[in-house]
C-alpha cells in the first residue's frame, strides 16, 4: 500500500475516467478520441496548490477533455465532480477496512471558475493519514517509486554541508524521542537504542488536531511531509540526488521550525499537543532515515 495522498487521489481520478469512459465517449460529453489516445484514461495529473498549510491539489483534466469535445471546461468539470465524488464513495474493494477508505470520506471537490477541479483533504482526513503513517511507515518501508542511488563519495563531498544538516535533523529527532521516553515511558515501546523501530503504544486515533489547528507552523511541517511523499511516489518524476536532498531539507526545516516554536518544555503540560509533536517527530525521523539510506545511499546516524 502507498503512503502519498497524491497517489490515492490520482488513482481514483483515473479510475473515474476509465470506468466512466462510455459516458465521455457516447453519452454526455461525446469525446473524440482515436486509437492513438488509448492512454488518455490514465494520464490525469495533479498539482499541489497554495496555501501549503492545507492539503490541496488541482487538475486541469476538464480542459483536456474540453479540447476534444467542444464543451466548456467548467461544464465538464461539474460533471466530473459528481462522478469523482461517487467514485470516492464506491471505492475499489482493495480499500475496504484500510485508512484510505476513511480518508476518502473527507475529500472535498470544488469546481473553480477557471475550469480546474480542486481537491482538498479535510483536517479529519489529514489526522487519519498521520495515524496511518505512524503505524505503517517503518524501517522496512519502500517509499521511492523508482529512484535509488548507490553511495557516491564525490557527491557526498560536494554537498557535505546540506547533507550534514539532514543527518543532524535525523539525529535530533532521535534525541528528542529518547529524551521523551526517559521522561515518560508510556508513549513508546522502546525496542532498541535507535528510535527507528520504536512503536507508538496507544492505538489510533491520535489527537493531532489540537496542535495542527492552533499552530500554522505545525501544518507547514505536515505539508512538507506530504510534499516529500508525493514526490517520492511519482514514477515519472526525474529525481536526482540534489532534488532528493532539497526535499529532505524542506522537511528538516519544517521540523526545526516547529521544534523552535514548541520546545518540549512548553508543550509538556499539554498531553494532546505533546503526543502530536512526538508522533510527527517519529514519522519525520523514519522518513529522513529512509530518504538518506534508500534515496541518497548515505548513513542515517542516530547521534552526531
Amino acid at each position: 500500500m502507498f503512503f502519498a495522498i497524491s497517489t490515492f487521489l490520482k488513482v481514483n481520478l483515473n479510475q473515474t475516467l476509465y470506468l466512466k469512459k462510455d459516458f465521455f465517449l457516447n453519452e454526455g460529453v461525446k469525446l473524440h478520441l482515436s486509437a492513438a489516445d488509448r492512454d488518455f484514461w490514465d494520464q490525469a495529473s495533479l498539482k499541489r496548490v497554495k496555501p501549503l498549510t492545507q492539503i490541496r491539489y488541482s487538475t486541469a483534466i476538464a480542459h483536456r477533455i474540453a479540447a476534444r469535445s467542444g464543451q466548456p471546461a467548467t461544464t465538464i468539470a461539474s460533471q466530473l465532480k459528481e462522478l469523482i465524488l461517487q467514485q470516492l464513495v464506491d471505492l475499489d474493494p482493495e480499500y475496504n477496512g484500510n485508512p484510505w477508505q476513511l480518508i476518502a470520506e473527507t475529500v472535498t471537490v470544488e469546481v473553480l471558475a477557471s475550469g480546474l477541479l480542486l481537491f482538498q483533504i479535510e483536517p479529519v482526513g489529514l489526522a487519519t493519514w498521520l495515524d496511518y503513517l505512524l503505524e505503517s511507515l517503518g524501517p522496512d518501508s519502500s517509499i521511492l517509486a523508482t529512484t535509488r542511488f548507490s553511495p557516491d563519495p564525490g557527491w557526498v563531498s560536494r554537498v557535505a554541508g546540506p547533507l550534514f544538516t539532514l543527518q543532524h535533523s535525523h539525529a535530533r529527532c532521535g534525541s528528542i524521542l529518547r529524551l521523551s521516553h526517559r521522561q515518560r515511558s508510556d508513549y513508546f515501546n522502546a525496542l532498541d537504542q535507535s528510535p527507528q523501530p520504536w512503536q507508538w503504544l496507544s492505538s489510533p486515533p491520535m489527537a493531532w488536531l489540537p496542535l495542527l489547528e492552533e499552530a500554522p507552523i505545525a501544518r507547514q511541517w505536515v505539508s512538507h511531509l506530504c510534499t516529500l511523499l508525493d514526490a517520492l511516489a511519482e514514477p515519472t518524476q526525474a529525481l536526482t540526488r540534489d532534488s532528493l536532498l532539497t526535499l529532505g531539507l524542506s522537511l528538516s526545516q519544517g521540523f526545526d521550525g516547529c521544534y523552535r516554536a514548541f520546545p518540549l518544555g512548553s508543550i509538556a503540560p499539554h498531553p494532546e499537543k505533546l503526543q502530536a509533536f512526538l508522533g510527527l517527530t517519529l514519522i519525520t525521523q523514519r522518513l529522513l532515515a529512509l530518504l538518506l539510506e534508500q534515496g541518497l545511499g548515505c548513513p542515517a546516524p542516530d547521534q552526531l
Side-chain angles (χ1 to χ4, degrees):
M1 188 58 69
F2 45 79
F3 298 107
I5 291 175
S6 63
T7 301
F8 172 72
L9 293 175
K10 192 183 300 183
V11 165
N12 281 280
L13 174 56
N14 284 316
Q15 278 188 333
T16 300
L17 293 172
Y18 181 77
L19 293 174
K20 302 298 182 181
K21 63 182 178 181
D22 285 343
F23 172 81
F24 290 108
L25 290 171
N26 303 312
E27 298 174 29
V29 177
K30 295 188 177 179
L31 190 60
H32 305 296
L33 295 178
S34 66
D37 296 314
R38 58 186 178 275
D39 294 330
F40 184 88
W41 310 107
D42 60 3
Q43 293 182 348
S45 60
L46 294 172
K47 179 182 178 181
R48 277 291 297 279
V49 296
K50 296 179 180 180
L52 296 182
T53 50
Q54 299 176 356
I55 308 301
R56 308 168 81 198
Y57 301 84
S58 68
T59 179
I61 186 62
H63 284 271
R64 288 186 62 210
I65 295 174
R68 303 296 186 92
S69 69
Q71 293 193 27
T74 50
T75 300
I76 293 171
S78 297
Q79 294 170 326
L80 269 174
K81 172 185 174 179
E82 300 306 318
L83 295 172
I84 292 167
L85 289 173
Q86 188 59 48
Q87 175 64 26
L88 289 170
V89 172
D90 301 329
L91 283 177
D92 191 285
E94 70 173 302
Y95 295 109
N96 288 348
N98 77 37
W100 291 110
Q101 187 175 33
L102 299 176
I103 294 168
E105 296 172 1
T106 74
V107 176
T108 63
V109 185
E110 179 184 351
V111 178
L112 303 183
S114 62
L116 297 179
L117 281 167
L118 181 69
F119 298 83
Q120 180 164 324
I121 307 296
E122 295 299 314
V124 173
L126 187 58
T128 301
W129 178 65
L130 291 172
D131 281 336
Y132 172 52
L133 294 183
L134 189 62
E135 281 204 307
S136 304
L137 187 65
D140 298 324
S141 299
S142 179
I143 59 171
L144 288 96
T146 55
T147 306
R148 290 171 184 262
F149 293 104
S150 301
D152 182 343
W155 180 82
V156 169
S157 176
R158 181 171 64 81
V159 299
L163 182 60
F164 176 82
T165 298
L166 203 61
Q167 292 173 318
H168 183 266
S169 290
H170 174 268
R172 176 180 280 185
C173 286
S175 176
I176 291 170
L177 294 169
R178 282 189 293 270
L179 175 62
S180 68
H181 182 65
R182 287 196 296 269
Q183 294 177 343
R184 180 170 176 170
S185 60
D186 59 340
Y187 284 151
F188 307 107
N189 178 14
L191 303 175
D192 191 272
Q193 176 66 16
S194 168
Q196 275 195 55
W198 290 7
Q199 297 295 319
W200 197 268
L201 286 177
S202 61
S203 299
M206 276 266 287
W208 303 101
L209 296 185
L211 179 63
L212 297 181
E213 290 176 347
E214 178 180 317
I217 198 166
R219 296 197 297 274
Q220 290 174 12
W221 183 6
V222 172
S223 178
H224 289 307
L225 280 171
C226 182
T227 299
L228 177 56
L229 285 167
D230 284 351
L232 296 178
E234 181 52 65
T236 61
Q237 184 166 324
L239 292 172
T240 64
R241 289 182 194 272
D242 290 337
S243 61
L244 285 175
L245 180 59
T246 298
L247 288 164
L249 289 172
S250 294
L251 175 57
S252 171
Q253 291 166 5
F255 157 68
D256 286 340
C258 201
Y259 175 65
R260 294 176 190 278
F262 295 98
L264 286 180
S266 72
I267 57 174
H270 308 282
E272 288 186 339
K273 293 178 183 177
L274 178 61
Q275 284 187 33
F277 176 82
L278 293 175
L280 286 172
T281 301
L282 183 57
I283 293 169
T284 298
Q285 195 248 14
R286 289 173 176 171
L287 191 49
L288 289 176
L290 291 168
L291 179 65
L292 284 163
E293 295 171 349
Q294 287 188 19
L296 299 176
C298 297
D302 291 318
Q303 299 183 36
L304 288 174

